[in-house]
Amino acid sequence: MVSKRSVDSKAQQERQKQQMARGLPKQKPIAGVKQVIVVASGKGGVGKSTTAVNLALALMANDQSKSAGLLDVDVYGPSVPRLMNLKGNPELSDDNRMVPLTNYGVPCMSMGFLVEDASPIVWRGLMVMSAVERLLRQVDWGSLDYLVVDMPPGTGDVQLSVTQNIPIAGAVIVSTPQDIALLDAHRGAEMFKKVNVPVLGLVQNMSVFQCPNCQHQTHIFGSDGARQLADTLGISFLGDIPLHLNIREMSDKGQPVVVSCPDSTLVRYLISQSHGSI
């Protein structure tokens, strides 16, 4: 026999669920954008932004009829301006929306365009949310097949705000094979599942270092950790990206490897992976 207390508890939980649903913002597509793909990581320093930049370029390299844009919502640590070799303030369109800065055929928007390079962004949560809202709603993207969103690391307010405000086709999670990074990547994947965002898969970055002199391979951060995590979570493993000097050098110069080394084995691999997973 079901007790009255149990029935009341279930009814209360249902009311709370309905109230929470009413409190969530209604998802609204970004004008002119067909699909949004977010690139995320549980921990900083795993190469998420570099992956996001090269993914956007690889999507266009794989099919030249497709267009891709890049939105950097990492408010505290914007990396896209440096990675895409872009500086300056965005102009305003006739309807008072910001016009993205463009390089390599990719329109880009970032908080880094709105503040000085070395200026720290010392903001409380409400100011950050206001900035994210502006980046999501007040940018004139024109017409895009894909908008790749470089998310901040972690599972905080910005991540929730983005996933609740706009429809997202899927999330790509970037991690190194290191155990400490994989713990946070696991949390990130679970967060996307809770907010009903499909996880397209897991990228294992800095998977192996190959000595340029003797060709010996060293798994500095461990091996196959991300592959094993993908199996555990039941999501796709999108592939390995090695710890490669050329990737670091070209990224620091604002010349992503998809552009600077288009015929390299690594870039052909990135392009094939973007085609197979997105």
Side-chain angles (χ1 to χ4, degrees), residues 28-47:
K28 181 183 176 183
I30 297 175
V33 176
K34 293 181 181 178
Q35 288 188 303
V36 175
I37 301 161
V38 299
V39 179
S41 68
K43 184 174 291 298
V46 298

Side-chain angles (χ1 to χ4, degrees), residues 76-137:
Y76 290 116
S79 301
V80 164
R82 169 62 67 88
L83 291 168
M84 291 294 286
N85 195 26
L86 286 168
K87 287 184 178 180
N89 300 118
E91 297 181 355
L92 295 179
S93 65
D94 292 339
D95 58 356
N96 211 35
R97 290 191 296 165
M98 294 181 290
V99 178
L101 277 64
T102 299
N103 198 8
Y104 309 121
V106 177
C108 305
M109 181 52 62
S110 169
M111 195 68 207
F113 300 145
L114 307 177
V115 296
E116 295 295 327
D117 283 349
S119 297
I121 300 176
V122 188
W123 289 353
R124 293 187 182 273
L126 287 176
M127 295 178 69
V128 173
M129 291 302 99
S130 177
V132 171
E133 178 69 17
R134 187 180 179 194
L135 290 171
L136 289 176
R137 298 297 178 199

Side-chain angles (χ1 to χ4, degrees), residues 25-189:
K26 187 176 181 180
Q27 286 187 335
K28 181 183 176 183
I30 297 175
V33 176
K34 293 181 181 178
Q35 288 188 303
V36 175
I37 301 161
V38 299
V39 179
S41 68
K43 184 174 291 298
V46 298
K48 166 186 56 64
S49 296
T50 303
T51 302
V53 164
N54 283 289
L55 173 61
L57 290 162
L59 286 168
M60 296 200 315
N62 178 67
D63 185 345
Q64 295 184 1
S65 69
K66 301 294 184 182
S67 56
L70 191 57
L71 173 60
D72 181 2
V73 293
D74 191 348
V75 174
Y76 290 116
S79 301
V80 164
R82 169 62 67 88
L83 291 168
M84 291 294 286
N85 195 26
L86 286 168
K87 287 184 178 180
N89 300 118
E91 297 181 355
L92 295 179
S93 65
D94 292 339
D95 58 356
N96 211 35
R97 290 191 296 165
M98 294 181 290
V99 178
L101 277 64
T102 299
N103 198 8
Y104 309 121
V106 177
C108 305
M109 181 52 62
S110 169
M111 195 68 207
F113 300 145
L114 307 177
V115 296
E116 295 295 327
D117 283 349
S119 297
I121 300 176
V122 188
W123 289 353
R124 293 187 182 273
L126 287 176
M127 295 178 69
V128 173
M129 291 302 99
S130 177
V132 171
E133 178 69 17
R134 187 180 179 194
L135 290 171
L136 289 176
R137 298 297 178 199
Q138 297 182 25
V139 178
D140 185 358
W141 291 106
S143 178
L144 292 177
D145 293 292
Y146 303 105
L147 179 63
V148 177
V149 180
D150 180 16
M151 299 278 266
T155 56
D157 288 345
V158 173
Q159 290 84 347
L160 287 174
S161 180
V162 172
T163 57
Q164 290 171 355
N165 272 280
I166 59 174
I168 297 173
V172 173
I173 298 176
V174 181
S175 179
T176 62
Q178 188 179 10
D179 288 348
I180 195 72
L182 292 168
L183 284 172
D184 291 330
H186 194 160
R187 294 188 185 100

Side-chain angles (χ1 to χ4, degrees), residues 3 16 80 94 131 134 148 153 157 163 208-209 215 219 221 244 272 276:
S3 67
Q16 289 175 344
V80 164
D94 292 339
R134 187 180 179 194
V148 177
D157 288 345
T163 57
V208 64
F209 172 73
Q215 310 305 313
H219 295 275
F221 297 107
H244 200 289
S272 67

